Amino acid sequence: MCESLRHLERLPCGKLRDCIDMLAILFAASNLGPIGRPSLSTLIGIGEKRVRNLVAKLRSAGLVKASRAGITSDGMQGVLCLSSGGYTIALAACSRAVAELMLRSIVALRDKLVILTGSPAILEVIGYIDSNGATVFPGLGLELSEKYARLVSEIGSRETCRSVGGCLVAVFNLPDCYRCCASFLQALAMSG
């Protein structure tokens, strides 16, 4: 299992949908915080009442802080959700051995991710960034691999992954898609 997935154990969720929505809230609050509940509702695509209920659970678990300024989170160590050039890039710290195991079953991982996001068109590619900063996208030709490697390097991911020993990476063709990152993390957990 990826080291970064231990965060899922702390989530106070029972249903899969709750986990994904809570993770999306954590990513958004970490990247944009302080952020208000109405903004979270719009950004994530869930109702304000649901946001209020999930934030209350996350707050009770000590995963977010709520103030008049909005919701904040210190983020989740080893997990990032970043945007660049109209894409969302999810990074999850994983050892090379775990990443290679996941990449050997990349079709199953992709299938889980497509089911969780609800659309096969959102996911562009899944790959790995090793501790040396080299990016590998299995099954892609050189030209496409270079395109995604450039995109991923633009967000400073190589340095991040180098510091944690390596990362699995997913690229989605939507900007600021926190549900995409949450679905990626959940798909990794289901595959582990």
Side-chain angles (χ1 to χ4, degrees), residues 25 28-29 32-44 46-48 51-52 55 65-72:
I25 289 169
L32 305 172
I35 184 169
R37 288 179 185 92
S39 295
L40 276 172
S41 173
T42 301
L43 188 63
I44 297 170
I46 59 177
E48 281 188 55
V51 168
R52 186 173 34 256
V55 165
K65 294 179 182 123
S67 68
R68 288 184 183 203
I71 311 300
T72 58

Side-chain angles (χ1 to χ4, degrees), residues 45-186:
I46 59 177
E48 281 188 55
K49 183 177 179 182
R50 180 158 173 76
V51 168
R52 186 173 34 256
N53 291 337
L54 295 174
V55 165
K57 289 179 181 180
L58 289 168
R59 190 173 176 191
S60 293
L63 297 170
V64 297
K65 294 179 182 123
S67 68
R68 288 184 183 203
I71 311 300
T72 58
S73 172
D74 293 335
M76 298 178 289
Q77 188 176 10
V79 183
L80 293 173
C81 184
L82 306 166
S83 284
S84 178
Y87 292 92
T88 294
I89 300 157
L91 298 167
C94 288
S95 69
R96 184 172 192 89
V98 170
E100 286 175 358
L101 180 65
M102 294 282 190
L103 293 175
R104 277 197 292 272
S105 58
I106 198 163
V107 173
L109 178 60
R110 184 191 191 292
D111 289 348
K112 287 176 184 141
L113 194 47
V114 166
I115 290 167
L116 292 172
T117 60
S119 173
I122 294 173
L123 177 65
E124 292 268 327
V125 67
I126 299 171
Y128 182 70
I129 303 169
D130 70 17
S131 59
N132 296 320
T135 308
V136 178
F137 294 105
L140 288 187
L142 183 61
E143 188 176 323
L144 277 176
S145 287
E146 288 176 352
K147 170 192 169 186
Y148 290 114
R150 274 192 307 277
L151 177 68
V152 169
S153 70
E154 287 173 7
I155 61 165
S157 59
R158 289 183 180 180
E159 293 75 26
T160 300
C161 294
R162 199 175 291 155
S163 69
V164 296
C167 295
L168 279 166
V169 60
V171 179
F172 301 90
N173 61 14
L174 294 172
D176 300 318
C177 183
Y178 297 106
R179 288 186 65 79
C180 294
C181 294
S183 296
F184 178 59
L185 205 57
Q186 190 64 49

